[in-house]
Amino acid sequence: TGFWQATAKNQLFENFTLGVITFNACWMWVDTDYNGEDALVNAHPVFQVAENFFCAFFSFEWLVRYMAFAKLSSGLQDPWFVFDSCLVALMVGETWVMSVVILIQGGGSGLGGQASLLRLLRLLRLSRLARMLRALPELLIMLKGIFAATRSVGLTLTLLLIDMYIFSIILRQVSEGTSSGLKYFSSIQHSMYTLLIHGTFLDNLTVVWSDIGRDSFIVAGLFMVFIVGGSLCVMNMLIGILCEVVNAVAAVENEELVLSFVSDKVTEIMVQQEGQKGVDGEFSITQAEFLDLLANKDCVLALKEVGVDPEGLIDFADFIFQDTTQEDPRSSVKMSLSLPNFLEIILQLRGSNTATVKDVVDLRAFVTKIITRSLRKFKKLAHQVEKAKRSVVSPTRSRKDDTSASSRIQDKLKEMISELQNLSKARSEPSLSNGSVKVKVLWEAAKHLSSLGDGISADLQSLRPALAPE
């Protein structure tokens, strides 16, 4: 499958295929206007050559894509491939099979009205233009937005229909006996037609308005009220609904495109580096492999293109691959991540992302977990230091010096425990409702605890002989 996959993934081959699809759609125009024959064998040689070229090329393109699958049965799981297979089968049947059948029957069409029906089936080739949606994702986003807004558009048009029905009854009764009423509002159906064409679509509005105004200012005023409510309000509201839905769909689709782009690029680089996939055909990424990826120029460019800072990721490497099941958050044990989980974490670190309530809650949960662990360890350490203080005996140091070091450690531990307890109370303080203020408080407390921890480590070095087992 190497040659076939390389050909199917070749950008030049893909662009040429899209060009042939576009040319085939344009050729349908020429064929419809200038080819009057029902059977291809009776058509002008130019049309025969063109049809055979299109049939041969699309058959070759189908064969390339079919042979590119690692498992030939996987083609049935690809909707685009199944769709193209049906189109190629119809084209082969129309261009080659039917031509052979007609030649066997004596060279005439021999199909009667069925030949015209067969020509109509050629219109299915225009559906190949749907392939261009893959090359122009913006068009696909707009179509998905339209489908997503179907219900909202339907409700808006229902509101417009109700508005037209109410005003048609009012105008039908008010304009009774006038020439404009007979001309524009002679019945409910006629009134709704007038309101739709002239009041909503604003077709020839000046003439209609002048005719109604000459007969009755009341009817003209009611007609203007409908225009303001129907054409200006409801129709513009419909435009706003479509814009909102398309924006929402575009955000989701762009996120999926970004994820797909980064996933394909990372997978391609890892295939080049590793040469094989992990368990069940999926990659698992370790911290060492992650750092190797950041050394790859193509990977760095891909991350920058989606708004991720590769240099900043190096600082977050320990955090990304930290094994949360370990008791010590500074443990050297690192876990591997599956490719989807890895990409999800990476895309969360984009600089364009805004902080959400979930981010603040996750931060609070993480800090609370660290505080709980620290309190438990500090209390245990304080108990050990107190025990060592009572039993410290060192031939090279005076008891007074050991007691002084132990007292300093104990004082710092008490200060750390007090700081942690105050920090726990500050998490629920109403005055810290702003997320950025909470983060600042937590950061200052973390720096203070870090400095205290460094002091304890220095004092413990002086008590190493006393803390050693006898």
Side-chain angles (χ1 to χ4, degrees):
T1 60
F3 167 76
W4 301 107
Q5 283 190 358
T7 305
K9 294 180 179 180
N10 188 278
Q11 190 63 38
L12 181 61
F13 177 76
E14 180 70 18
N15 293 336
F16 184 74
T17 301
L18 291 176
V20 173
I21 292 173
T22 305
F23 179 64
N24 179 240
C26 296
W27 181 258
M28 293 290 293
W29 169 21
V30 178
D31 183 78
T32 303
D33 280 349
Y34 301 103
N35 183 15
E37 298 293 337
D38 292 334
L40 182 61
V41 293
N42 297 327
H44 191 277
V46 173
F47 295 102
Q48 294 184 19
V49 172
E51 293 297 334
N52 281 278
F53 165 74
F54 290 132
C55 188
F57 177 81
F58 289 130
S59 298
F60 172 75
E61 189 253 351
W62 177 88
L63 179 64
V64 169
R65 294 178 59 196
Y66 178 67
M67 298 299 296
F69 287 105
K71 295 181 179 179
L72 300 183
S73 59
S74 300
L76 298 176
Q77 302 175 4
D78 187 349
W80 283 108
F81 181 77
V82 174
F83 176 73
D84 283 344
S85 299
C86 296
L87 294 180
V88 170
L90 288 173
M91 178 175 285
V92 170
E94 174 200 351
T95 306
W96 291 338
V97 176
M98 293 305 300
S99 296
V100 172
V101 171
I102 293 173
L103 289 175
I104 293 176
Q105 291 179 351
S109 64
L111 296 176
Q114 296 181 3
S116 299
L117 178 62
L118 194 60
R119 287 173 60 86
L120 291 177
L121 292 178
R122 298 183 188 179
L123 296 177
L124 291 176
R125 301 180 193 176
L126 292 174
S127 57
R128 283 186 173 272
L129 290 174
R131 288 272 304 275
M132 300 188 68
L133 296 178
R134 302 174 65 180
L136 300 173
E138 292 81 3
L139 295 179
L140 185 60
I141 290 174
M142 293 180 64
L143 289 177
K144 287 186 176 181
I146 292 175
F147 285 121
T150 301
R151 185 174 185 274
S152 299
V153 171
L155 293 175
T156 305
L157 295 179
T158 301
L159 176 62
L160 179 62
L161 182 63
I162 294 174
D163 193 20
M164 289 171 52
Y165 180 71
I166 293 175
F167 272 88
S168 65
I169 294 176
I170 296 175
L171 292 173
R172 172 72 178 85
Q173 295 179 353
V174 174
S175 64
E176 184 74 26
T178 62
S179 59
S180 61
L182 182 62
K183 184 177 181 181
Y184 298 111
F185 309 107
S186 60
S187 64
I188 297 298
Q189 298 92 325
H190 191 193
S191 299
M192 293 184 68
Y193 174 82
T194 301
L195 293 176
L196 175 64
I197 301 300
H198 304 295
T200 304
F201 299 150
L202 305 180
D203 180 57
N204 203 18
L205 178 60
T206 304
V207 176
V208 176
W209 173 260
S210 300
D211 292 343
I212 296 175
R214 279 195 297 266
D215 290 338
S216 174
F217 289 105
I218 297 177
V219 178
L222 291 173
F223 187 69
M224 180 58 67
V225 170
F226 174 80
I227 292 175
V228 173
S231 178
L232 299 183
C233 294
V234 178
M235 297 304 291
N236 283 283
M237 182 174 64
L238 178 60
I239 296 174
I241 291 174
L242 286 173
C243 292
E244 287 295 328
V245 174
V246 170
N247 284 335
V249 172
V252 175
E253 291 295 324
N254 287 332
E255 189 70 16
E256 292 181 356
L257 289 175
V258 167
L259 182 61
S260 176
F261 171 75
V262 178
S263 177
D264 292 342
K265 181 61 67 174
V266 172
T267 302
E268 179 183 351
I269 295 174
M270 292 197 69
V271 167
Q272 295 174 355
Q273 293 181 350
E274 302 294 333
Q276 59 182 358
K277 291 189 176 182
V279 181
D280 299 329
E282 296 290 340
F283 284 110
S284 60
I285 301 178
T286 62
Q287 183 171 349
E289 293 172 339
F290 170 65
L291 295 177
D292 290 339
L293 284 176
L294 293 182
N296 187 287
K297 182 179 179 181
D298 293 335
C299 183
V300 170
L301 293 177
L303 292 175
K304 288 184 176 179
E305 188 169 346
V306 298
V308 178
D309 181 16
E311 291 80 6
L313 288 180
I314 298 177
D315 299 331
F316 290 108
D318 291 334
F319 171 78
I320 293 173
F321 293 92
Q322 176 181 323
D323 190 351
T324 57
T325 61
Q326 296 295 319
E327 181 70 17
D328 187 358
R330 297 173 298 175
S331 173
S332 59
V333 178
K334 302 299 180 182
M335 64 177 181
S336 61
L337 297 173
S338 63
L339 183 58
N341 292 337
F342 170 74
L343 294 177
E344 181 181 0
I345 295 175
I346 291 299
L347 294 180
Q348 287 177 353
L349 299 177
R350 284 180 292 180
S352 59
N353 291 347
T354 56
T356 62
V357 175
K358 180 180 180 298
D359 296 326
V360 177
V361 171
D362 290 343
L363 176 61
R364 291 179 62 182
F366 178 77
V367 173
T368 301
K369 188 176 182 180
I370 297 299
I371 289 175
T372 304
R373 288 177 177 176
S374 300
L375 280 171
R376 185 167 59 251
K377 289 189 175 183
F378 288 151
K379 288 180 179 179
K380 182 178 179 180
L381 183 59
H383 176 72
Q384 293 177 349
V385 171
E386 183 64 25
K387 183 178 179 180
K389 180 180 178 181
R390 292 194 299 266
S391 60
V392 61
V393 176
S394 176
T396 59
R397 293 174 58 91
S398 66
R399 181 176 297 273
K400 181 178 180 181
D401 294 337
D402 294 332
T403 302
S404 176
S406 300
S407 299
R408 290 197 304 270
I409 294 175
Q410 189 174 16
D411 293 340
K412 291 178 180 178
L413 285 173
K414 290 180 180 179
E415 186 177 355
M416 293 181 75
I417 293 174
S418 176
E419 180 69 26
L420 289 169
Q421 290 173 343
N422 293 334
L423 187 58
S424 299
K425 296 178 181 179
R427 289 189 299 109
S428 58
E429 190 69 28
S431 60
L432 298 180
S433 57
N434 185 280
S436 60
V437 176
K438 286 187 178 181
V439 173
K440 183 177 180 180
V441 171
L442 294 174
W443 177 250
E444 294 296 333
K447 290 196 297 184
H448 187 197
L449 292 173
S450 177
S451 62
L452 291 174
D454 293 340
I456 292 176
S457 299
D459 289 332
L460 284 175
Q461 292 295 328
S462 63
L463 287 177
R464 184 184 296 274
L467 294 176
E470 296 180 359

